[in-house]
Amino acid sequence: MKATPPTPHQAPEQASGRQARPADPARLLTAVERAVTARLTAALAEADCTPEEWRVLDLLADGQGHPMTEIAEYALLPPPTLTKLIDRMVAANRVYRRVDDADRRRVLVLLAERGHTAHRRAAGAAARAWHTVTDALGPEEAALLSALLARATTRLT
C-alpha cells in the first residue's frame, strides 16, 4: 500500500499507514524543540559554546549588565545551574560580576572582552542553525512558527 503525504489536519502516523493517533501538542512541541536544539547545539559546538551559554551571552550582549534572577529567567535555567554556569564563564574570562551602582545589594553580570568575542562567534553559529530550520520549514512556516511560539509563551507564562 502506497503511503500518501499527510494533509494539514492529519497526523504523520496516518500518512504512513500506521494506526491514527490524535496529535499530541505537547509531544509535537517536544519533538520540534529537540530537533531545533540538536541543530543549535551542533552549530554552537563549532563556536565552543553551549545553548545555555549562548542564551547568557545573547542577553548580556546588550551591555546593560543583568542580575542573576533576570539571566536565569531568560536562559531558562534554575538558579543553582545558572550559578555554576556563570562561575565557569567567569573562570573563562567571558563574563564578570560587578556590584550594581544603583543598588549595592545587587550583583550584575556583564560581558568581558572575551565574552563579546564569544558572542560574535556564537551569533553566527546560531544564525546558521536557524537557517537550517528555515530551509527545512520554508520561510513562511518558520515565521509562523516563531510568531505562534512567541504568542503562546506570552500567554502561558
Side-chain angles (χ1 to χ4, degrees):
M1 180 172 167
K2 184 178 173 186
T4 58
T7 65
H9 303 290
Q10 188 179 25
E13 291 84 5
Q14 290 173 307
S16 66
R18 287 183 263 155
Q19 184 171 348
R21 293 184 190 156
D24 174 8
R27 181 186 168 284
L28 295 173
L29 279 170
T30 300
V32 169
E33 186 271 336
R34 286 180 181 173
V36 171
T37 299
R39 285 173 167 83
L40 181 63
T41 300
L44 289 173
E46 295 174 14
D48 192 30
C49 191
T50 66
E52 295 77 18
E53 289 169 330
W54 162 242
R55 287 189 216 107
V56 171
L57 292 170
D58 195 45
L59 176 65
L60 298 180
D62 67 5
Q64 301 298 308
H66 296 272
M68 292 289 281
T69 53
E70 185 180 334
I71 299 169
E73 183 178 308
Y74 183 84
L76 306 171
L77 293 171
T81 302
L82 176 65
T83 298
K84 291 174 189 169
L85 176 62
I86 294 296
D87 288 346
R88 285 194 307 271
M89 293 176 79
V90 166
N93 293 318
R94 288 184 170 187
V95 301
Y96 64 95
R97 294 177 175 104
R98 186 188 79 203
V99 174
D100 186 354
D101 293 333
D103 182 349
R104 308 271 318 148
R105 298 169 295 176
R106 266 183 8 158
V107 174
L108 302 177
V109 180
L110 297 104
L111 280 186
E113 191 55 43
R114 283 188 182 176
H116 287 287
T117 301
H119 177 261
R120 283 190 296 275
R121 232 182 7 255
R128 286 189 300 278
W130 184 247
H131 285 300
T132 67
V133 172
T134 302
D135 288 346
L137 296 177
E140 288 178 10
E141 286 187 4
L144 179 60
L145 177 63
S146 291
L148 289 171
L149 291 172
R151 204 170 329 158
T153 299
T154 300
R155 293 177 181 174
L156 297 174
T157 57

